[in-house]
Amino acid sequence: MTVQDVIQVILFFALLIGLTPILGNYMYKVFTGNKHIMLPLFGWLEKITYKLTGVNSDEETNWKSYTFGLLMFNLVGLVFVFLIQVIQVYLPLNPAHLPNVSWHSAFNTSVSFMTNTNWQGYAGETTLSYFVQMVGLTVQNFVSAATGIAVLIALIKGISRKTTDKLGNFWVDLTRSTLYVLLPLSILFAIVLVGQGVIQNFKTYETVQTLQGTQQVIPMGPAASQIAIKQLGTNGGGFFNANSSHPLENPTPFSNFLEMLAILLIPAALTYTYGKMVGSIRQGWTIFTAMLILLVIGLSISLYAEYSSNPIFGHLPLMEGKETRFGITNSVLWSTSTSAASNGSVNAMHDSLSPIAGMVAMVNIMLGEIIFGGVGAGLYGMLIFIILTVFIAGLMVGRTPEYLGKKIEAFEVQMALVAILAPNIIILLFSAWASVCTSGLSSLNNSGSHGLSEILYAYASAAGNNGSAFAGLNANTVFYNLTIGFGMLIGRFGVIIPVMAIAGSMAKKKITPPSSGTFHTDNWLFIGLLIAIILIVGGLTHFPALSLGPIAEHLLLNLKI
Amino acid sequence: MKTLITSLKIFLFFTVLTGVIYPLFVTGIAQLLFPNKANGSLIIKDNKAIGSELIGQQFDSSIYFTSRPSAISYNPLPSGGSNYGLTNIKLKNLVVERKHKFITFNRLDSLTVVPSEMLFASASGLDPHTSPSAALLQVDRIAKARGFDSSQKQQLIDLIQSKTEEMQFGLLGEPRINILNLNIALDKLDQNITNNK
C-alpha cells in the first residue's frame, strides 16, 4: 500500500462521518413531518400522491395493518416485475430483440429486486430490455429501499412512543422516503455519473469496427438513472453483467469514489436520524461507532490479505478480476463496503479475491447485514442485536433489561431470535443441500474449498439480501433460481415481520425514567458488548462452515499444495 | 381488499414517477449537458464509430500496444471476469503462459518483471487501461514492427508519456493509460512519419 492509498481510505471515511449528521438531520425532518428544504420543490408531489391514490395521510395504523400494507405492496411489485419479464418481446424498448425470460429466472429476479437484494442470475445486457430494466427494476430499486426505511421508521416510533398501538402510516413513510430522500439524491447523482462517462440513452447497441478489424457490439441503455439508485438504495443490481466494474457503469476513479460513498451514505446517516428521533443523538453515534469499528476491522484484514504475498503468485499484485483504474485498494474498500452494507454491487470479482478478503465479505453478510447494512434494514437489524445485548447484559447483572426506558420482555427476545435465526438457517441448510446434490455442484466454477465458498457466499448473499456473488457459480439454473429466490424471501420478511411485531409491542409499553441502576446504552462499554455479541453469534453459527471454505483455501494457498 | 387497491394505486404512481419520468428526465438532462458521454463516449472516424473510449478492444498484433487479458476476449455481450479463485490451477497455468508470451512477444529479458495487470484478466473483461510501465515494455517491439528509427522510437516514448493519465485530481485511483487511445495516436504518429518521408 502506498501513501496515496491510505489517503484515499481516510478521505472516504472522513466524508462518510462528515455527511452523516447533515443527511441524518435532514431525514429526521422528513420523517417527523417538519419543514425541510425539499418541501418547496417536491411538497406538491406528495400532496398529489395522496390525492391520486386516496391515501389519508393523517391516519395512523397499528403494526399489523402497517405490515399488511407493506406485504401487499411488495407482492404487487413482485407480480408485476415477474410478468413483464416473461412477456418482454411484446413490450416496447427492446432494441436488442431479447427473448422472453425463463419462468425461474424471472421469479428469481423479481424476488431479488423486490427484497432489495438484487442478486443477479442473469446478465443485464443480454437478458433484459430497456423497458424491464427501467419500468420494472428501477422502480423496485426505489420502493424496496423505501420499504426498508419505512420499517425502520415504524420501529423507531415503537421505541420512542409510549402506551399506543399506532406506528404511523406505511404509505406516508414510503412516499416520503422516495420523494424527499431517494429521488432527489438519485437525480443529482445520476447526472454527475453521466458527467464522468456513464451512459444514459435509448439507442440500439452500437456495432463498431475495431482498430484490429474485428467487430465489437457496445451495449447501450438508460444506465445512469438505474446505477444512481442501485448505489444509494443499497440495491446493487448492475445494469450490465460486470456491475460497477463495467467501464460504462463506473468509468473513472471519481465515479468509483462517489459510487462507493453512496453505498454507505444513507445507512450511516440513518443512525443519526435514529438518535434525533429517540431524543439522544449520542445513542445514534454509539450505533454508528459500533458499525464503523466492525467495518474498519474487516477492511484492515482484507487489505492485509490482498497485499500479502503467497507461494503461488509471489509478490505479484493480485489483479485477477480487478480493473486497472481502481487498483487493489479501491477494489477492497468497495468489496468491504458493499458486503457490509447489503448493497452487493461490485467493482471487482469477489470470486477472485484472496481467500481471506473473500471471507471478510462473506462474514460481513453473515453477521446479519448490520454493519451499516441495507437502507433501513441495517439499522433495524442492528437494533435486534441491541435488544439481545441489553437482554444478555440484564441477565448478567440480574435486572430487568431495559432499552431507552422500555422493558425488554420475553416476547421481544423471542422475536429478536426469530429475526436472527431466520437468515442463518437459510444459509446453513441450503448450503448443505447444494453441496451434496448434483444440481448444486454442477454449477461450480472452482473446485475444492473454493467451490464450497461459492455456494456459501450465494446463500449468505441471498439470506442477507446482499446480492453480490462469487460469480463463477452458474446460478441461472432451476435449482439455484428457486432456492436462492426462496432464501431471499425468508431473509427479507423473516426479519421484517418479527421486527414489526417488536415495534408494535414496544409502542404499547410505558417509558420508565432512567435511575441510578439503569444500564447505559450510549458508552464504550456498551459498544464493546454489542460488538462481542455480534461476533459471538455470527462466529458460533458460521465458523465451522467458514473453516472448510475460505480458511481451508487460505491454508492451501500458503502451503502450496 | 382496500389495502390491495391502495397498493395497486401507489405502485402504479411510483412506477410512472420512478420508472418513466425519472429516467426520462435524467436522459433529457444528460443528453443536453453531456451528449457524447451519455451516448457511450464513441470515437468517430470517417463518420463511423471505431470504438468507445471506455471499452477496451482486443490488441494482439505486433504493431499495437497489447491490451489486458480478458476472460471474454473483449466481446461485451455479456461482460465479466474469469471468476477463478487464487488456488485454481487454471489461473496459475494462465499466468505462467501469459508471462512467457509477453516476454517472448516483446523480446524481453526472461527476468523482466511483467506488470501484473498483463498477467491477470480484468473484472469487466473490457478494461480499457494498463499501467504506463506495461506500455513502455512494448516500445522496442512496436518500433521494430513499424520500422521506426531511434528518433521515432523516442517519439513513441513521448507519446506514452503524453497519454498517461495520472491519479484523478492527483488523489483518486491509479495511474493508467488508455490502450485504444494510445493505439489510435500510434497509427497517427506512423501516418505522420510516412507522410514526412
PDB file of all heavy atoms in Angstrom, chain A residues 130-144:
ATOM      1  N   TYR A 130     -34.675  -2.570 -22.222  1.00  0.00           N
ATOM      2  CA  TYR A 130     -34.642  -1.293 -21.505  1.00  0.00           C
ATOM      3  C   TYR A 130     -35.931  -1.111 -20.719  1.00  0.00           C
ATOM      4  O   TYR A 130     -35.940  -0.549 -19.633  1.00  0.00           O
ATOM      5  CB  TYR A 130     -34.491  -0.105 -22.479  1.00  0.00           C
ATOM      6  CG  TYR A 130     -33.222  -0.110 -23.295  1.00  0.00           C
ATOM      7  CD1 TYR A 130     -33.106   0.683 -24.431  1.00  0.00           C
ATOM      8  CD2 TYR A 130     -32.132  -0.890 -22.930  1.00  0.00           C
ATOM      9  CE1 TYR A 130     -31.949   0.710 -25.191  1.00  0.00           C
ATOM     10  CE2 TYR A 130     -30.973  -0.880 -23.682  1.00  0.00           C
ATOM     11  CZ  TYR A 130     -30.885  -0.085 -24.817  1.00  0.00           C
ATOM     12  OH  TYR A 130     -29.739  -0.070 -25.561  1.00  0.00           O
ATOM     13  N   PHE A 131     -37.032  -1.596 -21.268  1.00  0.00           N
ATOM     14  CA  PHE A 131     -38.326  -1.435 -20.599  1.00  0.00           C
ATOM     15  C   PHE A 131     -38.316  -2.133 -19.244  1.00  0.00           C
ATOM     16  O   PHE A 131     -38.686  -1.543 -18.227  1.00  0.00           O
ATOM     17  CB  PHE A 131     -39.448  -1.996 -21.483  1.00  0.00           C
ATOM     18  CG  PHE A 131     -40.827  -1.808 -20.916  1.00  0.00           C
ATOM     19  CD1 PHE A 131     -41.535  -0.636 -21.143  1.00  0.00           C
ATOM     20  CD2 PHE A 131     -41.427  -2.794 -20.134  1.00  0.00           C
ATOM     21  CE1 PHE A 131     -42.802  -0.444 -20.607  1.00  0.00           C
ATOM     22  CE2 PHE A 131     -42.688  -2.614 -19.587  1.00  0.00           C
ATOM     23  CZ  PHE A 131     -43.385  -1.438 -19.825  1.00  0.00           C
ATOM     24  N   VAL A 132     -37.854  -3.387 -19.222  1.00  0.00           N
ATOM     25  CA  VAL A 132     -37.852  -4.134 -17.965  1.00  0.00           C
ATOM     26  C   VAL A 132     -36.876  -3.498 -16.966  1.00  0.00           C
ATOM     27  O   VAL A 132     -37.186  -3.328 -15.779  1.00  0.00           O
ATOM     28  CB  VAL A 132     -37.486  -5.614 -18.195  1.00  0.00           C
ATOM     29  CG1 VAL A 132     -37.323  -6.349 -16.876  1.00  0.00           C
ATOM     30  CG2 VAL A 132     -38.544  -6.297 -19.045  1.00  0.00           C
ATOM     31  N   GLN A 133     -35.692  -3.115 -17.464  1.00  0.00           N
ATOM     32  CA  GLN A 133     -34.697  -2.505 -16.568  1.00  0.00           C
ATOM     33  C   GLN A 133     -35.259  -1.251 -15.913  1.00  0.00           C
ATOM     34  O   GLN A 133     -35.041  -0.975 -14.740  1.00  0.00           O
ATOM     35  CB  GLN A 133     -33.433  -2.124 -17.358  1.00  0.00           C
ATOM     36  CG  GLN A 133     -32.701  -3.305 -17.954  1.00  0.00           C
ATOM     37  CD  GLN A 133     -31.406  -3.650 -17.217  1.00  0.00           C
ATOM     38  OE1 GLN A 133     -31.291  -3.448 -16.029  1.00  0.00           O
ATOM     39  NE2 GLN A 133     -30.437  -4.204 -17.926  1.00  0.00           N
ATOM     40  N   MET A 134     -36.000  -0.467 -16.717  1.00  0.00           N
ATOM     41  CA  MET A 134     -36.431   0.855 -16.282  1.00  0.00           C
ATOM     42  C   MET A 134     -37.748   0.786 -15.518  1.00  0.00           C
ATOM     43  O   MET A 134     -37.823   1.115 -14.338  1.00  0.00           O
ATOM     44  CB  MET A 134     -36.595   1.672 -17.566  1.00  0.00           C
ATOM     45  CG  MET A 134     -36.658   3.125 -17.412  1.00  0.00           C
ATOM     46  SD  MET A 134     -36.594   3.862 -19.068  1.00  0.00           S
ATOM     47  CE  MET A 134     -38.317   4.132 -19.372  1.00  0.00           C
ATOM     48  N   VAL A 135     -38.776   0.301 -16.191  1.00  0.00           N
ATOM     49  CA  VAL A 135     -40.115   0.313 -15.599  1.00  0.00           C
ATOM     50  C   VAL A 135     -40.261  -0.771 -14.526  1.00  0.00           C
ATOM     51  O   VAL A 135     -41.024  -0.624 -13.581  1.00  0.00           O
ATOM     52  CB  VAL A 135     -41.189   0.151 -16.705  1.00  0.00           C
ATOM     53  CG1 VAL A 135     -42.580   0.193 -16.121  1.00  0.00           C
ATOM     54  CG2 VAL A 135     -41.015   1.240 -17.744  1.00  0.00           C
ATOM     55  N   GLY A 136     -39.491  -1.849 -14.676  1.00  0.00           N
ATOM     56  CA  GLY A 136     -39.564  -2.899 -13.666  1.00  0.00           C
ATOM     57  C   GLY A 136     -38.527  -2.712 -12.570  1.00  0.00           C
ATOM     58  O   GLY A 136     -38.867  -2.478 -11.411  1.00  0.00           O
ATOM     59  N   LEU A 137     -37.249  -2.772 -12.953  1.00  0.00           N
ATOM     60  CA  LEU A 137     -36.201  -2.852 -11.936  1.00  0.00           C
ATOM     61  C   LEU A 137     -35.905  -1.524 -11.255  1.00  0.00           C
ATOM     62  O   LEU A 137     -35.730  -1.472 -10.037  1.00  0.00           O
ATOM     63  CB  LEU A 137     -34.923  -3.437 -12.547  1.00  0.00           C
ATOM     64  CG  LEU A 137     -35.074  -4.827 -13.170  1.00  0.00           C
ATOM     65  CD1 LEU A 137     -33.719  -5.403 -13.545  1.00  0.00           C
ATOM     66  CD2 LEU A 137     -35.807  -5.786 -12.248  1.00  0.00           C
ATOM     67  N   THR A 138     -35.823  -0.436 -12.038  1.00  0.00           N
ATOM     68  CA  THR A 138     -35.516   0.850 -11.407  1.00  0.00           C
ATOM     69  C   THR A 138     -36.560   1.178 -10.339  1.00  0.00           C
ATOM     70  O   THR A 138     -36.237   1.653  -9.249  1.00  0.00           O
ATOM     71  CB  THR A 138     -35.435   1.975 -12.452  1.00  0.00           C
ATOM     72  OG1 THR A 138     -34.458   1.608 -13.432  1.00  0.00           O
ATOM     73  CG2 THR A 138     -35.023   3.296 -11.833  1.00  0.00           C
ATOM     74  N   VAL A 139     -37.817   0.897 -10.640  1.00  0.00           N
ATOM     75  CA  VAL A 139     -38.890   1.172  -9.673  1.00  0.00           C
ATOM     76  C   VAL A 139     -38.671   0.381  -8.389  1.00  0.00           C
ATOM     77  O   VAL A 139     -38.775   0.916  -7.283  1.00  0.00           O
ATOM     78  CB  VAL A 139     -40.263   0.821 -10.286  1.00  0.00           C
ATOM     79  CG1 VAL A 139     -41.364   1.035  -9.266  1.00  0.00           C
ATOM     80  CG2 VAL A 139     -40.510   1.629 -11.537  1.00  0.00           C
ATOM     81  N   GLN A 140     -38.339  -0.912  -8.531  1.00  0.00           N
ATOM     82  CA  GLN A 140     -38.115  -1.733  -7.337  1.00  0.00           C
ATOM     83  C   GLN A 140     -36.892  -1.261  -6.561  1.00  0.00           C
ATOM     84  O   GLN A 140     -36.839  -1.377  -5.338  1.00  0.00           O
ATOM     85  CB  GLN A 140     -37.958  -3.213  -7.717  1.00  0.00           C
ATOM     86  CG  GLN A 140     -39.257  -3.883  -8.140  1.00  0.00           C
ATOM     87  CD  GLN A 140     -40.352  -3.788  -7.088  1.00  0.00           C
ATOM     88  OE1 GLN A 140     -40.115  -4.029  -5.916  1.00  0.00           O
ATOM     89  NE2 GLN A 140     -41.549  -3.424  -7.497  1.00  0.00           N
ATOM     90  N   ASN A 141     -35.892  -0.738  -7.292  1.00  0.00           N
ATOM     91  CA  ASN A 141     -34.736  -0.160  -6.601  1.00  0.00           C
ATOM     92  C   ASN A 141     -35.192   0.918  -5.628  1.00  0.00           C
ATOM     93  O   ASN A 141     -34.723   0.998  -4.502  1.00  0.00           O
ATOM     94  CB  ASN A 141     -33.760   0.451  -7.609  1.00  0.00           C
ATOM     95  CG  ASN A 141     -32.778  -0.557  -8.175  1.00  0.00           C
ATOM     96  OD1 ASN A 141     -31.950  -1.077  -7.467  1.00  0.00           O
ATOM     97  ND2 ASN A 141     -32.895  -0.859  -9.444  1.00  0.00           N
ATOM     98  N   PHE A 142     -36.111   1.751  -6.086  1.00  0.00           N
ATOM     99  CA  PHE A 142     -36.620   2.820  -5.220  1.00  0.00           C
ATOM    100  C   PHE A 142     -37.495   2.267  -4.101  1.00  0.00           C
ATOM    101  O   PHE A 142     -37.244   2.520  -2.920  1.00  0.00           O
ATOM    102  CB  PHE A 142     -37.456   3.816  -6.032  1.00  0.00           C
ATOM    103  CG  PHE A 142     -36.645   4.868  -6.728  1.00  0.00           C
ATOM    104  CD1 PHE A 142     -36.302   4.737  -8.061  1.00  0.00           C
ATOM    105  CD2 PHE A 142     -36.215   6.000  -6.052  1.00  0.00           C
ATOM    106  CE1 PHE A 142     -35.551   5.704  -8.704  1.00  0.00           C
ATOM    107  CE2 PHE A 142     -35.458   6.981  -6.686  1.00  0.00           C
ATOM    108  CZ  PHE A 142     -35.129   6.825  -8.021  1.00  0.00           C
ATOM    109  N   VAL A 143     -38.516   1.518  -4.468  1.00  0.00           N
ATOM    110  CA  VAL A 143     -39.523   1.190  -3.447  1.00  0.00           C
ATOM    111  C   VAL A 143     -39.050   0.126  -2.455  1.00  0.00           C
ATOM    112  O   VAL A 143     -39.498   0.115  -1.315  1.00  0.00           O
ATOM    113  CB  VAL A 143     -40.891   0.798  -4.066  1.00  0.00           C
ATOM    114  CG1 VAL A 143     -41.476   1.980  -4.799  1.00  0.00           C
ATOM    115  CG2 VAL A 143     -40.782  -0.422  -4.946  1.00  0.00           C
ATOM    116  N   SER A 144     -38.101  -0.748  -2.876  1.00  0.00           N
ATOM    117  CA  SER A 144     -37.598  -1.706  -1.893  1.00  0.00           C
ATOM    118  C   SER A 144     -36.750  -0.982  -0.851  1.00  0.00           C
ATOM    119  O   SER A 144     -36.789  -1.314   0.336  1.00  0.00           O
ATOM    120  CB  SER A 144     -36.796  -2.818  -2.567  1.00  0.00           C
ATOM    121  OG  SER A 144     -35.619  -2.302  -3.140  1.00  0.00           O
TER     122      SER A 144
END
